[in-house]
Amino acid sequence: MKKIFIFFSITVLLSLFLVGCFPKPEEPTKLEDGYYLYFSNSEEGFKFDLIPDWKFSQQNDGTYKLEIAGSDLIDNVPAPTNNEKVWWWKVVQITGDSSIAYGGFEKFDPSVPIDPDVVKNMDKVIFYFDPSADTTTDHKTIAGVMGDNTKDASPIYFVGTPTGWNFVEMTEGSYTTEKSTKTIFGPENPLEFKIGVGVNNWDNGPFIFSENHYYGTGGNTLAFTSGNYAMGARIKFDPHFSKLIVEPLDEIKSISEVVNDIDVNGTHDASSIGIVNYKYSTYVFIQDETKGIEIYKPANIANLNIGDLVYVEGSVSHFIDSTNNVYKYNLNDTASVTVLKSNVEIIPVDISGVEIADNWDYYGKLVKFEGVCKNIDDGYNNATFESNGATIVVKNYTTTEFSTDITYNITGVVMYNYDQLKVVPRDENDIAAPGQIIIDGDLSDWTDYATKTVLDDAADDSKWGSDNDVNWIGVANDDKYLYIGAKYKASGNGFIIYFSVDGATGGATDMNFGSWPRAIQTQDGTPIHGFVAAWEHGDPQLWIVEGTETKTDISGKIDQKINADPVMEVKIKLSDFGLTKGDKFKFVGTIVGGDGSSSPDTIPNNPYPENWDWNVPLTIINMVEYTIQ
């Protein structure tokens, strides 16, 4: 009995001893609420855990700062595994059990690159952070928010449209453009640029900054995208917070402001920026977002075209006589206007139901309306329309003859004539009866059009997301013209509609050559003979594919076009595209990347090869057939 007790006692003691030898499982460290430094990598195999001591401290000015010895960073952050051989750092906000990151790898969530080779030679690295500068709602950005001191000794370079995309070193982070017509920036001609931090070439992408990216693969920073135009700009960049400040040197008054000044001060010298929306032998009208104005006898009027963005300076006045009431620049053949850009699209303002007889808010602007013709001609080319209860008079200088009680869609410029403001169509293309297609960025007139083929596609089936997706395409014709329409989104990418004409010679089944080279192929028997292409929502181009080595630009043969996000419309003479009644062709719409890229979305849909990637050729099997009627 005694032996048994001793044995039991020893067993209990030994058990207690062994249990005491095992450490108690540690609770995971719970981080305090606050902002912490975090490192990530775009490649697999890189792992970093938040370090409690690497927490940002708030400064007196409300910003945050964190100082870390260079050696501590080298010891605690894994070596980078990406091609750039840099760390990407961001900030993680901890609040209770939730977290949110500033920075990432998506388009609007970039991280800040930092070079380990620089860090290892620094006593300490200072990280700066200003969450109050982030005004985004659906994401967190670094623009104006994050930076560090590893680039303090680096020269900073400006590169953009004012420099012809050449790098120019900034002075203490500041660059000032010249003041000239070459540096006029505004809504239709924004300032585009990037900032190179220690980089004066395009080979080192990670340290090139643009508004949404701290590396070169991002889109360009754009300034002066709204509001008044400016002549010249000063750009300042603070790498500590990735902060950009863009200031105009001389702001150019809007046309509305110039007109108001005429009313107050009478005839005086002024300057304006506007888009030509009407051209006559002795004058043109230009407009901006606010109003329009006439330019009388510019010396280079023969070279001006509708869609030209122009700069004009000279004497402005308000002229009134028995037939005219006009605000204008009087150049009188003594001065020219400067064309800043061509083929700028003007979206007409819909004035259906608006009384405009004495409504000067629309003066000089391109408008459109739908109305029923009540008086075809009063003997002076004036036709009267009823539009949703409003009476609108059209000054008809075109060859179109109206019919009473017929509904028309009319586009034109608002001008004063004799006794009131009237809509003045520019040509026959500005006048359409129901069942006709107007190239105006509005697809509603396609609904009732007789000879057409349209196709819908899902708005979310692109491999590159909804920002690069095509979801509607249409082809139609009348006796003279071919109409092409599309509804799509393209951000940093393009859109192409390919055509294969039955029985035509030439063409090619592989589009990866010449201009607009793309990794897109078609099957034998359906070579591509032509295409309409646009980068993002830029000016549509028309190309003929003559053979396997030759593509010819015939964009000059486009009769009318518009590409106003998200709608593109193009009008081409059938004869210019080599088509006649009874001809058949197939077509397909494609979102495309840059040169050598494939398509992430087509309409109609097409099957993708296994392991498809951006540069893997896509063979088009499905196209839509259309017959010229």
Side-chain angles (χ1 to χ4, degrees):
M1 188 76 178
K2 186 175 182 181
K3 289 181 180 179
I4 294 173
F5 174 77
I6 293 172
F7 175 78
F8 178 76
S9 300
I10 292 172
T11 302
V12 171
L13 290 172
L14 184 60
S15 299
L16 292 172
F17 173 76
L18 290 174
V19 169
C21 289
F22 287 102
K24 183 181 180 180
E26 291 186 8
E27 295 286 337
T29 303
K30 184 172 177 60
L31 296 173
E32 300 175 353
D33 287 0
Y35 298 101
Y36 292 84
L37 180 66
Y38 182 75
F39 287 87
S40 59
N41 199 305
S42 58
E43 305 293 330
E44 295 182 0
F46 184 93
K47 188 176 185 298
F48 178 82
D49 295 320
L50 292 176
I51 297 176
D53 290 340
W54 289 6
K55 180 184 177 184
F56 283 80
S57 299
Q58 189 171 18
Q59 308 301 297
N60 292 333
D61 61 359
T63 63
Y64 288 76
K65 186 168 72 171
L66 174 62
E67 297 185 10
I68 303 176
S71 58
D72 287 347
L73 286 167
I74 297 297
D75 292 341
N76 288 280
V77 183
T81 59
N82 49 39
N83 292 332
E84 299 88 0
K85 302 304 178 187
V86 296
W87 291 323
W88 297 97
W89 71 267
K90 52 187 172 183
V91 174
V92 175
Q93 180 184 6
I94 300 296
T95 307
D97 294 329
S98 64
S99 64
I100 186 170
Y102 288 75
F105 292 99
E106 299 302 321
K107 180 177 180 181
F108 294 104
D109 299 317
S111 298
V112 182
I114 187 169
D115 190 342
D117 289 335
V118 174
V119 169
K120 67 184 179 183
N121 294 317
M122 297 181 68
D123 292 332
K124 64 180 178 181
V125 178
I126 305 175
F127 299 86
Y128 300 91
F129 177 60
D130 182 9
S132 68
D134 181 20
T135 59
T136 57
T137 55
D138 59 342
H139 61 270
K140 295 299 180 181
T141 179
I142 67 158
V145 178
M146 296 160 55
D148 55 61
N149 71 330
T150 63
K151 308 164 187 74
D152 281 0
S154 301
I156 300 175
Y157 297 91
F158 174 93
V159 57
T161 48
T163 67
W165 294 101
N166 294 312
F167 288 79
V168 175
E169 186 170 354
M170 302 173 77
T171 302
E172 297 181 352
S174 179
Y175 170 74
T176 302
T177 74
E178 62 178 4
K179 286 197 299 183
S180 72
T181 54
K182 293 181 179 179
T183 58
I184 290 177
F185 310 111
E188 297 295 343
N189 195 42
L191 169 62
E192 298 184 58
F193 66 96
K194 293 176 185 279
I195 304 294
V197 184
V199 176
N200 63 354
N201 57 73
W202 292 105
D203 297 331
N204 276 313
F207 298 105
I208 295 181
F209 177 89
S210 65
E211 188 174 11
N212 296 321
H213 289 264
Y214 210 140
Y215 50 96
T217 55
N220 300 327
T221 292
L222 299 178
F224 306 111
T225 56
S226 61
N228 285 8
Y229 281 82
M231 181 178 286
R234 181 178 294 107
I235 301 94
K236 300 177 182 178
F237 178 66
D238 173 10
H240 285 182
F241 293 100
S242 307
K243 187 175 182 179
L244 274 171
I245 298 175
V246 181
E247 304 169 328
L249 296 183
D250 282 341
E251 194 169 83
I252 300 170
K253 289 184 177 182
S254 69
I255 294 177
S256 178
E257 290 172 317
V258 170
V259 169
N260 290 340
D261 286 347
I262 296 172
D263 288 337
V264 174
N265 303 315
T267 302
H268 66 282
D269 289 336
S271 60
S272 293
I273 305 289
I275 307 168
V276 176
N277 60 20
Y278 190 95
K279 179 180 177 180
Y280 186 61
S281 60
T282 56
Y283 63 87
V284 298
F285 268 82
I286 64 170
Q287 73 170 73
D288 62 12
E289 295 177 344
T290 65
K291 195 165 282 191
I293 195 167
E294 179 186 303
I295 305 176
Y296 183 68
K297 287 190 174 181
N300 58 334
I301 191 170
N303 298 321
L304 298 181
N305 297 291
I306 291 175
D308 285 345
L309 179 70
V310 302
Y311 170 76
V312 56
E313 58 183 10
S315 175
V316 289
S317 64
H318 184 194
F319 176 76
I320 304 175
D321 64 13
S322 60
T323 60
N324 294 291
N325 188 344
V326 60
Y327 291 89
K328 63 180 179 179
Y329 279 88
N330 296 290
L331 299 189
N332 294 314
D333 294 323
T334 61
S336 297
V337 300
T338 302
V339 178
L340 305 176
K341 192 175 181 180
S342 295
N343 298 313
V344 178
E345 294 164 358
I346 310 172
I347 307 300
V349 179
D350 192 342
I351 61 167
S352 299
V354 178
E355 295 283 357
I356 66 159
D358 58 356
N359 191 335
W360 287 83
D361 289 340
Y362 297 101
Y363 175 73
K365 297 200 73 173
L366 187 69
V367 299
K368 67 177 182 180
F369 73 92
E370 181 179 88
V372 179
C373 184
K374 293 300 182 182
N375 187 338
I376 61 174
D377 192 340
D378 65 354
Y380 297 96
N381 298 318
N382 296 304
T384 304
F385 291 79
E386 184 180 290
S387 174
N388 294 341
T391 298
I392 299 176
V393 176
V394 170
K395 191 70 174 181
N396 184 19
Y397 293 119
T398 76
T399 58
T400 299
E401 295 182 358
F402 293 116
S403 298
T404 307
D405 295 328
I406 297 297
T407 300
Y408 290 86
N409 291 293
I410 296 178
T411 301
V413 176
V414 176
M415 304 180 197
Y416 190 93
N417 177 254
Y418 280 97
D419 56 350
Q420 68 175 75
L421 293 168
K422 303 172 184 178
V423 175
V424 184
R426 298 162 297 180
D427 57 33
E428 291 74 16
N429 291 316
D430 278 345
I431 301 172
Q436 293 180 295
I437 292 176
I438 302 175
I439 307 301
D440 59 358
D442 183 353
L443 296 175
S444 61
D445 47 7
W446 286 72
T447 303
D448 298 323
Y449 197 76
T451 54
K452 69 175 186 295
T453 295
V454 300
L455 197 67
D456 291 302
D457 189 41
D460 57 357
D461 64 342
S462 172
K463 295 182 180 295
W464 292 348
S466 59
D467 284 342
N468 293 284
D469 194 296
V470 54
N471 51 70
W472 187 94
I473 191 172
V475 170
N477 77 277
D478 56 26
D479 291 340
K480 188 176 180 181
Y481 292 100
L482 177 70
Y483 302 89
I484 300 164
K487 186 176 182 181
Y488 70 93
K489 302 289 287 186
S491 177
N493 293 295
F495 177 68
I496 300 179
I497 304 176
Y498 292 104
F499 299 90
S500 177
V501 181
D502 285 6
T505 59
T509 57
D510 189 340
M511 290 292 96
N512 206 4
F513 72 94
S515 297
W516 291 92
R518 298 299 184 269
I520 293 176
Q521 302 170 356
T522 56
Q523 295 177 305
D524 290 341
T526 55
I528 300 301
H529 295 101
F531 58 88
V532 173
W535 186 250
E536 293 189 327
H537 288 274
D539 192 36
Q541 300 176 15
L542 176 63
W543 290 77
I544 295 295
V545 182
E546 297 183 18
T548 56
E549 297 180 352
T550 306
K551 296 173 182 174
T552 302
D553 185 359
I554 59 168
S555 300
K557 293 187 176 182
I558 295 178
D559 190 81
Q560 283 185 289
K561 56 188 172 181
I562 191 169
N563 198 1
D565 185 6
V567 173
M568 179 179 79
E569 289 185 293
V570 176
K571 180 180 179 181
I572 309 164
K573 285 184 178 178
L574 290 169
S575 57
D576 286 340
F577 211 40
L579 297 172
T580 59
K581 190 172 183 178
D583 285 346
K584 295 181 179 181
F585 62 81
K586 297 181 178 70
F587 64 95
V588 59
T590 62
I591 297 293
V592 295
D595 291 355
S597 69
S598 184
S599 170
D601 188 29
T602 70
I603 180 171
N605 290 325
N606 278 273
Y608 283 81
E610 188 176 354
N611 299 320
W612 178 88
D613 204 348
W614 69 272
N615 59 351
V616 173
L618 176 66
T619 299
I620 301 297
I621 297 174
N622 299 319
M623 302 179 79
V624 181
E625 186 172 86
Y626 183 80
T627 301
I628 302 296
Q629 302 174 52

